[in-house]
Amino acid sequence: MLAGKRVLWPLTLLNLCLTILGSYTERFDEKLTIKSLQDGKVASIFTFTTLLEGATPRNPRALGSDDESQHYNVFPLALGQILREYGVSELHLTLNAGNWNYDRWGYPEEKGVGTGAELWAWMGDGAVTTIDQRWKGLRNAMAGLFCASLGTLDELRTTSPSETFTPEGSLPTWDVPHRIRHASLPSENVCTENLTPFLKLLPCKSLSGIASLLNPHRLFDADWHGMGVHVLWRQDKGVEVRLTFQTVSDPLRYSLNKMQDWSLQTLFDRTICQACPVAQTSQVLVDLPKGTPYSIKPEPSSTERNIAIFQTKTFNMPLNIGISWPWAYQYPLQYKADLIPLSVKRTLRGTSQAWGRLSITITNHLSATVEAVYLETMPWLLQFYLHTLEARVDGVVKDGIISNISYIPPVSHSRPTTFHAVLTLPPKETVQITMDVTKAFLRYTEHPPDAQRGWDLPPAIITPLRLLNNNDSSTLPLDGRIYTSALLVDLATPDFSMPYNVIIFTCSLIAFIFGSIFNLLTRKFVVVRLDVDKSL
Amino acid sequence: MSLNSKTSSRPAISSNFAIAFSVLVAARLWLSLTDLSNVLKHDQQLSSPLTSFSQLQEGIYLFNHGIDPYSGGSFRHSPLLLSFFATVFPLSRKLASLLWTLTDAAGAWFLVQTWRVRQNVKESQRDALVAALYLLNPYILLPSLALSTSSFANALMLATIMFACRGKSTATLFSLSFLLHLSLSYIVMLLPLLLLLISDPFSHLASPRPTSAYLRKLTPLVGEFALYTVTLTLISTLVAGSWEWIPQTWGATLTLPDLTPNTGMWWYFFTEMFDHFRPFFLMVFNVHLLIYVVPVCIKFQHDPLYATFVLLGILGTFKAYTTLSDPGLFLSMIAIFPETYPYLRHPLVTVLLHLHASLLMPLFHHLWLTQGTGNANFFYASTLVFACANGAALVDSIWAGLRIAIGENVNGYTIVQE
């Protein structure tokens, strides 16, 4: 302890010197938001933000030459190197498992809740290498960094939906255009091996601070969990890296007498034992329940607008925050259906493995017309018949709901479909949009090892844009993308044990017919006199 | 008196044919206006990706909305069809059924005309039978109900043959080059049709001799054909806006990008093939179609119409994206060669093989793709039987066409091949 105190002053001085000598000031904040949802579940959102003040993304024109050295203390070096190597202006990677239930849980705090892996990036053009080559390098580098199979997000899954995935931050104003590349892999599984490199990007790792609550046993047991890496540039501040982890856990599952109570110990099986010394602010925000009595322990540092704020550094460690209710939880008879303006459900109908029908049902809960953007990025396996696109309200076909269709057709064994339409949804109505699709027949080598499982299709994304004729003064949040669930399509498989047999059968038949025709064409008929043996 | 009966029977023959033809066409029209097309247009044995009506509608929709239908991967019809249906003829369901029925009626009429020219008569008693064999052939009827564009190809092929029989070279070459734009495999028909143009369509099967046609006349005809083809190619490029339609349409026949099942032998072969061998076998299968042209034309140089018929059979069996209508054309065309019927060796076997295949193919297709209780192998096996049936018909026709030259069997002599 004494020796530690002796080293403390030189270390702080060294830290200060390095911080001054290094190019930028860095700032690390951590935050945990906990909300109780209406079906008894608890949503926890971990947000770790590192800000590199004054920095800008690397100009793609400089990609050919050596980069200037970057000195980071708190900013994750592995991620920073990847960003500078490929000249990425904005990057979003999410690895989610489960289906976010918008009707019961409302809008998530981090908008990217599509199942599986989703990676999208805005990059400036004008470098020596093309954007697609840099995208490929970026995918593979992120795959290596996060131990996720992001390298398979190749041309079969990459599209450029620039209207739906608008930049969250600002894009630097170089005189080159910025392009987006987006790919999603719904079949990606998320587990501890993805969490470990995620934690390594944090300055305190999982040893202290709020990150010490990230217990993989509990996190991956949750009803829904997803991690995200978001890199953006804020023009007046600098480059921001935001690492997020969202979970929806179910305390009712663990409680013996249907109590909705939760605490950090029951949710994560851990408590905050030590504050992260590098964090500027370390907060836990708890949404306080409305309308029912409750008790919250310990007392929050401050409360504003129904949110209890705990500044963890001012509390005694170990810190265990929790809420308890006096009565057992009652499942509501009917869930409030107006947490978000639109409810979306997408299904693939049809029993044939040759063709089917894609159907998407959107319910508008508002009493004003909503204009929304509908985006489908479908791999080439499922090909749309746009001429069969129909919108029905109450079973009656209606024009005027779908407009402004922009469509990039798929290329077999290559580019996916990008279908983008503007929907005008009438108030308080359910619209059903259907379209015929054909299912592809793949080559032997294109089928995955478990071919009978089928292929996962990425979610469709509905983005509400604006309200038209808004008579109602209530303002529901219209921001954010709504992801539908991923679909599973089973394609017809050939018999995998038969390649040799098929070649043999077909070639034999062709040879037989060819041989007979060859015989007939090259031989001539001859009349032969039969000698009748007179002696017999 | 016999003269009287002859003159009184002649209007009876022509009115018989007219009545029979109208009845057949009306029956087809009635059938096509029922809802059968909506069910049949998805069937993969009646229309391939190159001839599918849904794809045609999709391409026209994209074209009308300013999206290039050839920039993606699934529209494989010729730009000529695209421009025809997008501008001249709007494709509603009822109009489409009417058009397809009229196309089939035209095809039957062309076949009857070819028969009449071959027999060198103005009309005959068999006309109605020939028309019925085309219009009522289920292999022709069902794809036409399914609104497959192979009906256009068949009618155009019969028109080309009729023009060639009548000696009209311009019409023949132009319709053949149009046909080439509908499907690249029809290049195989160029040589026999040219030979038919420079000789006569009458039946010489019974008396073969080396052709007396002047082969030098072929060169300007080939040049004219090339001119028409190049012109239509340029028109197609103008319609499509770029050269991308060539790999999408003609390239599809050569490289088989779409492995949708059909009644041919190619799809499962190339589904099960490893990528390493794909280019080699694609080359083999494509060249295999070409090697039959010259030998068949040489062997049947005395009767080029029969050579055309035989090559149609070869196309129907070995083409890239076959449907039921390609062998259907071959089978219907047997109607104009009645002189070969006594010399067919195994017509019953052929008929039974066709019956077997045509009953089992839709059953196994349904079991595999809709019900899921069958394997792909079931359907593949039934297509093998279908190919056997086509091969049997083909081989038997070639045998009969050659055997007819020897004449009937006489006691004490036997006919062998050496």
Side-chain angles (χ1 to χ4, degrees), chain B residues 137-384:
Chain B
N137 184 356
Y139 288 174
I140 306 263
L141 171 65
L142 290 175
S144 164
L145 283 179
L147 302 176
S148 157
T149 58
S150 54
S151 306
F152 294 145
N154 281 352
L156 206 55
M157 186 78 239
L158 288 171
T160 314
I161 293 176
M162 182 193 80
F163 289 136
C165 286
R166 288 198 175 160
K168 300 195 162 66
S169 64
T170 312
T172 312
L173 294 173
F174 186 74
S175 61
L176 184 62
S177 66
F178 201 96
L179 195 56
L180 189 67
H181 275 264
L182 287 184
S183 170
L184 188 62
S185 333
Y186 285 110
I187 193 73
V188 152
M189 308 303 301
L190 178 63
L191 186 58
L193 283 171
L194 286 179
L195 285 177
L196 188 54
L197 267 178
I198 62 177
S199 54
D200 59 70
F202 309 121
S203 176
H204 294 291
L205 284 177
S207 46
R209 63 191 185 289
T211 179
S212 58
Y214 198 40
L215 285 174
R216 287 269 179 85
K217 281 197 272 183
L218 280 180
T219 326
L221 292 173
V222 172
E224 200 180 336
F225 175 72
L227 175 68
Y228 291 142
T229 311
V230 166
T231 314
L232 283 177
T233 310
L234 290 174
I235 295 176
S236 302
T237 312
L238 260 172
V239 167
S242 66
W243 294 96
E244 282 185 23
W245 63 276
I246 295 183
Q248 292 292 108
T249 55
W250 288 347
T253 321
L254 297 174
T255 59
L256 217 79
D258 194 327
L259 288 169
T260 310
N262 47 57
T263 61
M265 295 198 270
W266 290 50
W267 65 278
Y268 205 51
F269 190 83
F270 286 101
T271 304
E272 296 271 3
M273 174 145 303
F274 296 140
D275 296 329
H276 180 73
F277 301 103
R278 183 173 290 268
F280 171 68
F281 277 103
L282 279 171
M283 186 273 298
V284 166
F285 272 56
N286 278 304
V287 170
H288 171 250
L289 267 183
L290 294 176
I291 58 178
Y292 289 102
V293 181
V294 174
V296 167
C297 289
I298 291 176
K299 192 73 178 178
F300 286 105
Q301 56 187 281
H302 48 279
D303 196 341
L305 185 58
Y306 204 76
T308 316
F309 167 67
V310 166
L311 280 171
L312 274 178
I314 287 171
L315 261 189
T317 317
F318 296 123
K319 214 173 74 152
Y321 285 101
T322 50
T323 55
L324 284 185
S325 50
D326 303 297
L329 180 63
F330 171 69
L331 290 177
S332 290
M333 246 184 111
I334 288 185
I336 64 176
F337 303 110
E339 61 264 27
T340 58
Y341 295 168
Y343 298 98
L344 290 172
R345 274 193 301 184
H346 45 79
L348 190 60
V349 176
T350 309
V351 165
L352 287 178
L353 278 173
H354 266 289
L355 196 65
H356 182 107
S358 58
L359 288 177
L360 287 182
M361 261 198 311
L363 177 66
F364 287 152
H365 185 261
H366 177 83
L367 276 184
W368 174 33
L369 290 179
T370 313
Q371 213 166 313
T373 50
N375 212 346
N377 293 337
F378 290 50
F379 181 67
Y380 167 64
S382 61
T383 59
L384 281 183

Side-chain angles (χ1 to χ4, degrees), chain A residues 353 383 385-387 409-410 413 415 441 443-445 495 502 505-506 514 520-521 523-526 528 530, chain B residues 54 57-58 71-74 259 268 271-272 274-275 278 292 299 369 377 380 399 402 412 414 416 418:
Chain A
Q353 280 185 319
Q383 291 178 349
Y385 278 141
L386 273 196
H387 68 278
H413 312 286
R415 185 178 78 195
F441 289 83
R443 300 174 184 163
Y444 183 96
T445 48
D495 188 341
V502 168
F505 280 137
T506 306
F514 170 77
L520 288 171
L521 292 180
R523 292 159 76 176
K524 59 181 200 291
F525 288 103
V526 169
V528 172
L530 287 173
Chain B
S54 309
Q57 279 183 309
E58 177 73 5
S71 64
S74 53
L259 288 169
Y268 205 51
T271 304
E272 296 271 3
F274 296 140
D275 296 329
R278 183 173 290 268
Y292 289 102
K299 192 73 178 178
L369 290 179
N377 293 337
Y380 167 64
W399 166 273
L402 294 172
T414 179
V416 295
E418 64 152 19

Side-chain angles (χ1 to χ4, degrees), chain A residues 56-243:
Chain A
T56 53
R58 190 166 172 207
N59 196 325
R61 273 200 256 263
L63 277 182
S65 45
D66 283 339
D67 193 14
E68 56 200 30
S69 353
Q70 307 286 313
H71 298 287
Y72 304 133
N73 285 333
V74 168
F75 194 85
L77 178 64
L79 192 58
Q81 276 177 333
I82 295 174
L83 296 171
R84 291 200 70 88
E85 170 75 25
Y86 300 106
V88 179
S89 304
E90 187 163 321
L91 171 84
H92 297 269
L93 167 69
T94 49
L95 289 163
N96 305 322
N99 240 333
W100 184 271
N101 192 337
Y102 285 92
D103 294 330
R104 297 214 190 145
W105 303 340
Y107 265 119
E109 214 170 274
E110 292 293 331
K111 298 290 177 261
V113 291
T115 316
E118 188 186 27
L119 175 68
W120 54 284
W122 281 93
M123 291 183 277
D125 216 339
V128 177
T129 47
T130 63
I131 289 216
D132 289 310
Q133 284 170 318
R134 284 155 61 195
W135 168 247
K136 181 175 173 185
L138 177 67
R139 284 191 331 249
N140 287 323
M142 297 298 273
L145 184 59
F146 286 100
C147 297
S149 51
L150 302 173
T152 57
L153 294 176
D154 51 7
E155 53 168 12
L156 265 79
R157 299 184 176 276
T158 305
T159 52
S160 302
S162 47
E163 280 109 27
T164 307
F165 291 95
T166 49
E168 208 180 298
S170 329
L171 291 178
T173 49
W174 306 311
D175 48 352
V176 284
H178 273 89
R179 307 251 181 255
I180 179 176
R181 291 288 182 268
H182 171 277
S184 105
L185 191 65
S187 53
E188 176 69 11
N189 293 314
V190 188
C191 61
T192 316
E193 71 170 9
N194 308 114
L195 181 65
T196 316
F198 176 87
L199 292 174
K200 286 209 185 119
L201 297 180
L202 297 170
C204 290
K205 314 283 185 286
S206 60
L207 302 168
S208 61
I210 291 177
S212 61
L213 292 174
L214 291 170
N215 178 4
H217 288 282
R218 283 307 179 85
L219 289 176
F220 295 112
D221 192 31
D223 286 11
W224 188 94
H225 58 89
M227 78 169 74
V229 176
H230 306 274
V231 178
L232 33 127
W233 182 58
R234 298 211 186 273
Q235 194 159 14
D236 45 353
K237 291 199 206 151
V239 173
E240 177 186 299
V241 167
R242 194 173 71 237
L243 298 161

